[in-house]
Amino acid sequence: MGARRAARAIDALRRGWPFRVIATEGALDLIAVESARDPALAAFDSHDVLISGERAVTLKLTNQRAAATPGPVRLSDAADSVAAALAIADPALDLAHPLKGPFRTVPTGGETAAAAAMTMARHAGLLPAFFVRAASGEAETEASADDVAALLDPARLEIAARARLPVEASESAEIVAFRSPEEASDHVALIIGKRDGQPPVVRLHSECLTGDVLGSLKCDCGPQLHAALHAMADAPWGVLLYLRQEGRGIGLVNKLRAYALQDQGYDTVDANLRLGFPVEARDFAIAGRMLELLGIPRIRLMTNNPEKVARLEKEGVAVIERIPLALPTNPHNEHYLATKRDRTGHQL
């Protein structure tokens, strides 16, 4: 029931309806700024706005000590309309509204509830910003911080279906789909070759519609995907884990917003932070669960990102070898790849 309550609250969030998040130290009533409408706000009776710590740092509303581990920030009486709140929350409007505030920050009214709300916004693919008030009266939709954690628990993931899938790299490949009860997005694994008792070559590939399907030159996702599949075909066997975590976990719409910010001169790291998200929001515990369900405890991981090695080992997967994946750059992704090398530790 807990995960279902969280799923219903996320649905309310996307629809612009009020919902409540409950935690031990305080409960909050919230409406997502991005999906809100002024009539709903008028009935909500609060002009306070809750934004993520990353967005607060961008707006210079928190000091550098707090910026090291930013938590949500509540702005008192900050916006009396959806348009005014969007000017605070959406960095696409920063150029049109460069002067913001002055703002007065106040206690959130519940740190755990506020943090859970930010997780819900990211999970819904919305900007992490809310109209907020202390919980009052009855709530039609509510969830606890524990409910949100239950929704995201990778242990809920199970194998839903599997089938033979001939692909360009291997005509004998098998595809396996994974599903959890309340999630709309299904993760998949593509198994290439036959088990031979040795650890397979494994690639964690996060969904990238623009790169994988449309051939975007802004990233290297599409070429990485195809190169990894062919490398697995040349190995005794391999497993591609295709994770439905677009835009490093912030969703397609927010990734496109980050692209627009990159066109203004921000790199991929700063674009995510200006949107109010962590630099890395993917959940690699999902990959650990998928490998567990496939009965694969030891792997040779194909990645340029040492953080993936650390995250998988934290989940109990033995990474016996890291295999680099080197590909040429193009004029559109040179800066992006340099940023991954210089700011996120990728070994290119």
Side-chain angles (χ1 to χ4, degrees), residues 15-18 31 35-46 82 131:
R15 293 171 183 269
W17 297 343
I31 301 178
S35 57
R37 300 295 180 267
D38 282 324
L41 178 60
F44 191 66
D45 185 31
S46 175
V82 172
F131 294 102

Side-chain angles (χ1 to χ4, degrees), residues 250-261:
I250 67 174
L252 177 62
V253 171
N254 284 322
K255 183 178 84 166
L256 299 184
R257 288 171 169 149
Y259 278 2
L261 291 174

Side-chain angles (χ1 to χ4, degrees), residues 97-147:
H97 301 276
L99 301 177
K100 303 181 191 296
F103 297 116
R104 183 169 68 91
T105 61
V106 295
T108 61
E111 292 294 328
T112 303
M118 296 301 155
T119 299
M120 294 168 69
R122 186 172 70 247
H123 194 69
L126 299 180
L127 292 168
F130 299 88
F131 294 102
V132 60
R133 70 180 182 192
S136 175
E138 296 294 324
E140 184 173 336
T141 305
E142 64 179 35
S144 71
D146 289 340
D147 293 337

Side-chain angles (χ1 to χ4, degrees), residues 46-51 61 74-81 83-88 100-105 130-131:
S46 175
H47 297 160
D48 285 10
V49 173
L50 184 74
I51 59 176
L61 299 177
R74 181 170 175 170
L75 310 178
S76 176
D77 202 24
D80 59 0
S81 69
L86 280 172
I88 299 169
K100 303 181 191 296
F103 297 116
R104 183 169 68 91
T105 61
F130 299 88
F131 294 102

Side-chain angles (χ1 to χ4, degrees), residues 51-64 66-68 70 73:
I51 59 176
S52 72
E54 290 84 0
R55 182 63 177 156
V57 172
T58 294
L59 297 177
K60 297 180 170 45
L61 299 177
T62 187
N63 59 39
Q64 291 303 307
V73 172

Side-chain angles (χ1 to χ4, degrees), residues 1-346:
M1 285 297 295
R4 291 181 183 179
R5 283 193 296 267
R8 286 196 294 268
I10 288 175
D11 183 60
L13 182 158
R14 290 181 64 93
R15 293 171 183 269
W17 297 343
F19 65 97
R20 179 171 296 169
V21 180
I22 303 167
T24 54
E25 80 277 23
L28 300 174
D29 287 342
L30 304 120
I31 301 178
V33 166
E34 182 178 345
S35 57
R37 300 295 180 267
D38 282 324
L41 178 60
F44 191 66
D45 185 31
S46 175
H47 297 160
D48 285 10
V49 173
L50 184 74
I51 59 176
S52 72
E54 290 84 0
R55 182 63 177 156
V57 172
T58 294
L59 297 177
K60 297 180 170 45
L61 299 177
T62 187
N63 59 39
Q64 291 303 307
R65 180 178 178 182
T69 54
V73 172
R74 181 170 175 170
L75 310 178
S76 176
D77 202 24
D80 59 0
S81 69
V82 172
L86 280 172
I88 299 169
D90 190 348
L93 303 175
D94 285 350
L95 293 179
H97 301 276
L99 301 177
K100 303 181 191 296
F103 297 116
R104 183 169 68 91
T105 61
V106 295
T108 61
E111 292 294 328
T112 303
M118 296 301 155
T119 299
M120 294 168 69
R122 186 172 70 247
H123 194 69
L126 299 180
L127 292 168
F130 299 88
F131 294 102
V132 60
R133 70 180 182 192
S136 175
E138 296 294 324
E140 184 173 336
T141 305
E142 64 179 35
S144 71
D146 289 340
D147 293 337
V148 176
L151 178 67
L152 304 181
D153 183 358
R156 300 181 64 76
L157 205 66
E158 297 291 347
I159 292 177
R162 58 199 311 160
R164 188 178 68 86
L165 182 68
V167 297
E168 181 187 5
S170 171
E171 294 185 5
S172 62
E174 180 188 19
I175 189 168
V176 183
F178 302 80
R179 173 182 291 168
S180 59
E182 293 79 20
E183 293 286 349
S185 297
D186 301 326
H187 307 281
V188 298
L190 188 68
I191 302 173
I192 293 178
K194 301 298 182 183
R195 295 179 185 243
D196 64 353
Q198 299 300 313
V201 173
V202 171
R203 168 76 183 166
L204 274 58
H205 190 89
S206 297
E207 178 182 32
C208 179
L209 174 71
T210 50
D212 299 342
V213 179
L214 303 179
S216 168
L217 299 177
K218 287 179 68 72
C219 64
D220 57 346
C221 299
Q224 279 192 336
L225 174 61
H226 295 289
L229 291 176
H230 284 282
M232 291 173 190
D234 292 336
W237 73 297
V239 181
L240 173 82
L241 301 182
Y242 196 83
L243 308 175
R244 306 296 298 280
Q245 302 189 90
E246 183 85 47
R248 293 204 202 102
I250 67 174
L252 177 62
V253 171
N254 284 322
K255 183 178 84 166
L256 299 184
R257 288 171 169 149
Y259 278 2
L261 291 174
Q262 290 170 34
D263 289 340
Q264 295 178 20
Y266 298 103
D267 66 29
T268 183
V269 170
D270 287 333
N272 274 32
L273 294 173
R274 290 192 75 83
L275 283 166
F277 295 108
V279 176
E280 177 59 85
R282 287 175 291 184
D283 182 0
F284 293 115
I286 291 172
R289 173 62 174 167
M290 293 166 73
L291 290 170
E292 177 188 358
L293 291 170
L294 292 173
I296 301 174
R298 302 170 70 244
I299 66 172
R300 301 163 61 208
L301 185 63
M302 180 176 289
T303 183
N304 299 324
N305 184 0
E307 181 65 17
K308 284 185 178 179
V309 176
R311 295 283 193 95
L312 281 180
E313 290 183 332
K314 181 180 177 183
E315 299 304 320
V317 178
V319 180
I320 66 169
E321 181 185 4
R322 185 185 72 83
I323 304 172
L325 184 58
L327 294 169
T329 63
N330 68 62
H332 300 278
N333 69 16
E334 285 177 339
H335 182 59
Y336 165 78
L337 293 174
T339 300
K340 289 174 72 173
R341 179 195 65 213
D342 298 338
R343 300 196 64 183
T344 61
H346 285 66

